[in-house]
Amino acid sequence: MEKEVRTRFAPSPTGYMHIGNLRTALYAYLIAKVNNGKFILRIEDTDQERYVEGAVDLIYRTMKETGLIHDEGPDIGGDYGPYIQSERRNIYKEYAEKLVELGGAYYCFCDKERLEDLRKRQEEAKVPTKYDGHCMKLTKEEIEEKLKAGVPYVIRQKMPHRGKTTFHDEIFGDISVENAILDDNVLLKADGLPTYNFANVIDDHLMEITHIIRGSEYLSSTPKYNLLYKSFGWEIPKYIHVSPVMKDEHNKLSKRNGDASYEDLIKKGYLKDAVMNYIALLGWSPGTEQEKFTMDELIKAFGTKGISKSPAIFDEKKLMWLNAEYIRELDPEKFHEMALPYYEGVITNPNIDLKEVSKLLQVRCERLDRIPEQIDFFDNLPEYDNELYTHKKMKTDAENSLEALNMSYPVLKGIEEWTEENIHDSLIKLAEDNELKNGRIMWPVRVAISGKAFTPGGCVELAYILGKEETLKRMNKGIKQLGGQELD
């Protein structure tokens, strides 16, 4: 019988969800689901110095929001708990001591002074800094004596000094490392807490994790993990190391450098579905031209063969394009609901129909947080320069724009029923009657009533939303600004 596929996402509660972390979680989730397996959430909080209050809740919330629903975890339990490392302290001590018995580890009683002196001497000699195996030479009696006397100790992994350690990665293939360069790393610290490298091996084995998905920065540590598995006589899981997400060719994405976390992207007005879709494509290709995927489609299409060895560049322009696609597909009512908070304080005029504004915006919006700058003219006409009236393609300038506004004003004033259709037809007829291209009339009106070169709609839609009185008032202001006489 084939073993059930079990993957895990094991974040540290450090305060935010890095894009790279979220991608790891997504890939682990997809590999589990495509194989009808289980996806496990484990909190790795052994590094208490980096622990941030409220970070665990943030992890739960992000997982729920993004649809990465775990089958087992600290909040829902399971048969392999506890799922928080700090609650598994006794387990690590037990296995560290067992590893000593098996010959894969040893007690080290070296104090900070000796280790610091060793490091300095190695640096002066310009040799790699690593532990010199001093305590490995202690006799059984000497060890027992020190333990009884309560001398502080750590437990170190005993590395072979000859030969090579080889492991297979699903993305990078077979990788070999000379054992001579491996350091006898600490597995159990003096405070009884495990190091990351030891805890995750113990947890992955006890939780029966079959596929380990993590960043390629852990490739160099993997030989140490393999040696631990071998020392215990355990089955080695499948490794899937993914290359980093980069800001550009030379720099990794980093919160420290102001790069966006998942929460930042949501605050910027990206939709979670667009974010997850884009993250899936950061270093993975479906092998087809398809770029838009629902979560169900990702589960069907995902496979490790599509994961690239090369780093992925985070291209916010591409994310914005994808986000705009998702916005356009929203139910109009849903988009209006999402847009409303961005109207607050920007459109205060009760005569403006916000649903009509939403209709205009939905087909032109790339990011929700950019809504205010697209609609701020509805409340008040901004100050603008007459140069806006000059448009090469429309063949307009300040002089013929004044002429167009003088012609358009009485036509619009004469409309009895203020509808989009009537506004449109009246202006088109005016252009035809005067043997002008539509743009020669439409562009000046648009500038006069918006004060902007870029608006979420053309002059017809804007005039309809502003209303007849406000439209004529703004046109008169434009006429006056261009040096003409106000009309009535």
Side-chain angles (χ1 to χ4, degrees):
M1 186 178 167
E2 205 168 308
K3 205 172 181 183
E4 179 185 56
V5 168
R6 289 173 62 82
T7 67
R8 50 76 166 170
F9 176 50
S12 298
T14 55
Y16 68 97
M17 185 66 80
H18 185 277
I19 292 301
N21 287 354
L22 190 56
R23 184 188 63 169
T24 300
L26 175 60
Y27 286 6
Y29 175 83
L30 293 173
I31 288 168
K33 296 307 161 189
V34 80
N35 291 291
N36 296 312
K38 294 280 195 314
F39 174 59
I40 290 91
L41 175 65
R42 184 172 76 224
I43 304 297
E44 299 198 336
D45 63 344
T46 53
D47 189 349
Q48 291 294 306
E49 287 180 13
R50 293 178 66 219
Y51 181 84
V52 173
E53 198 65 43
V56 174
D57 289 335
L58 180 79
I59 291 166
Y60 293 151
R61 191 167 68 246
T62 304
M63 302 293 277
K64 188 178 177 183
E65 270 181 30
T66 55
L68 304 181
I69 308 302
H70 46 284
D71 301 292
E72 299 168 26
D75 52 339
I76 57 173
D79 297 334
Y80 299 83
Y83 294 90
I84 296 179
Q85 283 191 338
S86 58
E87 295 174 13
R88 299 170 64 83
R89 190 175 183 142
N90 293 337
I91 296 172
Y92 307 124
K93 191 171 191 304
E94 176 195 334
Y95 277 92
E97 289 170 352
K98 186 177 178 182
L99 192 62
V100 172
E101 288 173 27
L102 292 168
Y106 58 93
Y107 291 98
C108 174
F109 301 94
C110 293
D111 56 25
K112 282 183 182 176
E113 288 72 27
R114 183 185 182 277
L115 294 173
E116 183 60 26
D117 181 60
L118 173 65
R119 187 184 63 80
K120 280 182 182 173
R121 282 189 283 113
Q122 287 174 335
E123 282 177 353
E124 284 167 9
K126 294 184 178 173
V127 296
T129 54
K130 52 188 281 196
Y131 185 63
D132 61 357
H134 175 76
C135 288
M136 196 162 55
K137 303 178 187 80
L138 294 173
T139 64
K140 195 176 180 183
E141 291 72 29
E142 285 173 317
I143 292 167
E144 284 176 5
E145 192 181 312
K146 287 180 183 290
L147 290 173
K148 277 180 188 172
V151 178
Y153 67 87
V154 298
I155 292 180
R156 289 183 181 274
Q157 186 175 1
K158 188 189 286 184
M159 295 296 183
H161 296 294
R162 291 177 187 169
K164 293 180 179 179
T165 294
T166 301
F167 69 93
H168 180 76
D169 181 78
E170 298 295 305
I171 312 303
F172 290 88
D174 289 337
I175 296 174
S176 294
V177 175
E178 295 287 341
N179 291 332
I181 69 167
L182 300 176
D183 194 4
D184 289 4
N185 291 116
V186 172
L187 302 178
L188 197 74
K189 295 179 277 190
D191 61 5
L193 280 172
T195 56
Y196 169 82
N197 288 337
F198 186 56
N200 81 69
V201 168
I202 302 302
D203 290 342
D204 286 339
H205 172 72
L206 295 179
M207 293 180 184
E208 297 188 10
I209 303 303
T210 59
H211 295 63
I212 293 173
I213 301 92
R214 61 179 169 225
S216 58
E217 65 269 25
Y218 291 105
L219 277 169
S220 60
S221 300
T222 303
K224 302 169 190 175
Y225 304 150
N226 264 25
L227 288 166
L228 285 172
Y229 280 106
K230 284 176 181 175
S231 294
F232 281 115
W234 294 341
E235 186 181 344
I236 294 170
K238 283 189 176 181
Y239 294 118
I240 298 157
H241 287 88
V242 292
S243 290
V245 179
M246 307 287 283
K247 183 177 187 172
D248 52 46
E249 284 183 27
H250 308 290
N251 301 290
K252 279 187 182 182
L253 275 187
S254 164
K255 180 75 170 177
R256 210 173 296 154
N257 296 334
D259 296 320
S261 65
Y262 168 75
E263 300 86 65
D264 293 333
L265 291 177
I266 297 303
K267 282 176 190 167
K268 273 185 171 184
Y270 289 107
L271 306 189
K272 65 176 177 61
D273 290 341
V275 172
M276 295 307 286
N277 187 157
Y278 182 65
I279 286 175
L281 299 171
L282 283 174
W284 171 78
S285 168
T288 64
E289 295 297 309
Q290 187 176 349
E291 290 187 291
K292 280 187 84 264
F293 290 88
T294 63
M295 191 63 82
D296 285 342
E297 286 171 336
L298 278 174
I299 290 168
K300 285 175 189 169
F302 196 79
T304 54
K305 282 183 181 175
I307 298 175
S308 171
K309 291 180 187 177
S310 304
I313 306 290
F314 187 87
D315 180 357
E316 197 163 346
K317 285 183 182 174
K318 179 75 181 283
L319 172 58
M320 214 180 299
W321 167 81
L322 196 56
N323 198 58
E325 293 289 307
Y326 273 86
I327 286 174
R328 278 193 278 277
E329 286 182 3
L330 286 172
D331 177 81
E333 281 295 325
K334 179 67 179 170
F335 174 75
H336 181 62
E337 184 189 312
M338 293 172 91
L340 277 175
Y342 297 92
Y343 296 161
E344 283 178 25
V346 183
I347 298 179
T348 57
N349 185 343
N351 297 320
I352 299 293
D353 186 337
L354 297 180
K355 283 201 171 181
E356 289 295 328
V357 175
S358 291
K359 257 196 239 176
L360 280 191
L361 273 176
Q362 186 169 1
V363 294
R364 296 168 177 87
C365 182
E366 292 181 317
R367 233 169 67 186
L368 297 177
D369 71 331
R370 292 192 168 176
I371 287 175
E373 67 192 46
Q374 289 182 277
I375 60 166
D376 54 3
F377 67 89
F378 278 112
D379 240 25
N380 292 294
L381 184 67
E383 294 296 321
Y384 64 92
D385 196 289
N386 284 348
E387 280 183 19
L388 273 188
Y389 285 105
T390 301
H391 194 297
K392 201 172 181 182
K393 190 180 174 185
M394 303 294 179
K395 296 184 177 172
T396 60
D397 54 32
E399 191 179 330
N400 62 29
S401 288
L402 174 59
E403 183 185 297
L405 291 179
N406 277 322
M407 290 161 62
S408 305
Y409 185 94
V411 169
L412 293 176
K413 188 179 180 183
I415 295 174
E416 289 183 16
E417 192 181 350
W418 194 254
T419 65
E420 276 190 48
E421 189 180 357
N422 287 346
I423 297 166
H424 174 270
D425 292 351
S426 298
L427 291 177
I428 294 295
K429 187 175 185 306
L430 175 64
E432 283 176 359
D433 290 348
N434 289 276
E435 297 181 347
L436 297 171
K437 288 196 172 180
N438 295 341
R440 277 269 280 106
I441 297 293
M442 301 287 197
W443 182 256
V445 174
R446 179 175 174 174
V447 171
I449 65 178
S450 71
K452 290 194 167 199
F454 302 101
T455 56
C459 74
V460 172
E461 298 99 325
L462 301 185
Y464 173 67
I465 292 171
L466 286 166
K468 184 175 180 179
E469 187 183 337
E470 181 66 19
T471 295
L472 294 174
K473 181 181 161 189
R474 292 186 180 199
M475 285 178 70
N476 243 336
K477 188 176 179 183
I479 289 167
K480 191 177 178 185
Q481 187 168 312
L482 285 165
Q485 294 292 317
E486 280 191 43
L487 303 174
D488 54 19

